[in-house]
Amino acid sequence: MKRKLDAAFIRPEDNMDDLSYRRVRTDPLVFVFPSDHRLASQATVAPQEIANEIFCLPSKAAPSVRRVVAEYFERAGVEVQADHEVHNVVHAISMITSTRAVMLLPAYTERFSAEIDHHASRAGRSPTLDLVLAYHKSNKSPILKLLLSRGWQACQRCLAAPSPLQPASPGKLPISWIKVVQANHL
């Protein structure tokens, strides 16, 4: 942030030491498939099952998501080759449906397409991604002060509403109209 905004809702980034963050919510990442994909009927999917699939990776424009996805597969000992890079959720859904690709996306993406299935993973800790309110540490704006003092609780209540795919039990996400297979807990 170049001090043109008082605050912004972002994914936390590396090398932004001049910013302060307040976590608003944490979104689980889930595998997203075309609804008729061979893995779409499974309740959970292990990262090893993705190794030979057409895979989409978040572009460098989304470094937080890209890092979480890369670290997840690294912990699992799985090397995936990105066939495509996507820039946003709509682009991801388009690529998944048109190329029959697989991708890890935040669980809230189920709201965007009936053509896609989301799945949870099998065991361990699913990858997650934080949404934060970021502001410059030296910002003395009265609007920011008001937001952080009074408006913060209301803001947090609205944005921290549970994702539609909250785990029913540890390591499991319910199947919904877009097939979400929980990412394997590592």
Side-chain angles (χ1 to χ4, degrees):
M1 292 175 30
K2 303 270 188 230
R3 299 183 189 185
K4 303 247 185 224
L5 297 173
D6 285 323
F9 292 99
I10 66 172
R11 302 294 183 183
E13 299 291 342
D14 292 335
N15 304 318
M16 295 230 173
D17 297 330
D18 58 338
L19 296 182
S20 292
Y21 297 117
R22 288 199 183 180
R23 188 179 59 79
V24 176
R25 66 184 286 160
T26 299
D27 294 307
L29 295 182
V30 293
F31 286 116
V32 182
F33 306 101
S35 57
D36 61 347
H37 189 277
R38 70 177 181 85
L39 296 172
S41 64
Q42 297 185 35
T44 61
V45 171
Q48 293 78 7
E49 295 176 273
I50 303 301
N52 296 318
E53 297 292 328
I54 297 170
F55 190 76
C56 292
L57 186 67
S59 73
K60 292 176 183 166
S64 297
V65 185
R66 188 180 180 103
R67 183 185 66 249
V68 169
V69 169
E71 289 171 355
Y72 170 71
F73 282 108
E74 186 177 305
R75 280 193 314 271
V78 175
E79 186 177 329
V80 292
Q81 296 296 322
D83 296 284
H84 308 283
E85 291 191 2
V86 299
H87 304 294
N88 56 52
V89 171
V90 174
H91 186 203
I93 291 170
S94 174
M95 292 303 292
I96 291 164
T97 55
S98 65
T99 67
R100 304 198 41 75
V102 176
M103 187 169 184
L104 272 172
L105 288 172
Y108 67 77
T109 58
E110 80 161 327
R111 300 176 187 148
F112 296 111
S113 176
E115 300 293 322
I116 298 201
D117 284 329
H118 291 69
H119 286 271
S121 69
R122 289 205 175 131
R125 195 181 116 248
S126 289
T128 60
L129 190 61
D130 287 336
L131 176 67
V132 297
L133 176 69
Y135 54 94
H136 197 274
K137 291 177 181 177
S138 65
N139 189 339
K140 305 295 182 210
S141 161
I143 294 171
L144 177 61
K145 286 181 184 177
L146 181 64
L147 173 64
L148 295 175
S149 64
R150 289 192 216 159
W152 174 246
Q153 292 83 14
C155 173
Q156 196 171 26
R157 278 193 306 273
C158 291
L159 291 174
S163 172
L165 294 174
Q166 289 298 311
S169 62
K172 303 282 184 186
L173 285 179
I175 302 303
S176 67
W177 56 278
I178 46 180
K179 202 73 166 165
V180 173
V181 177
Q182 183 174 350
N184 196 11
H185 294 292
L186 300 174

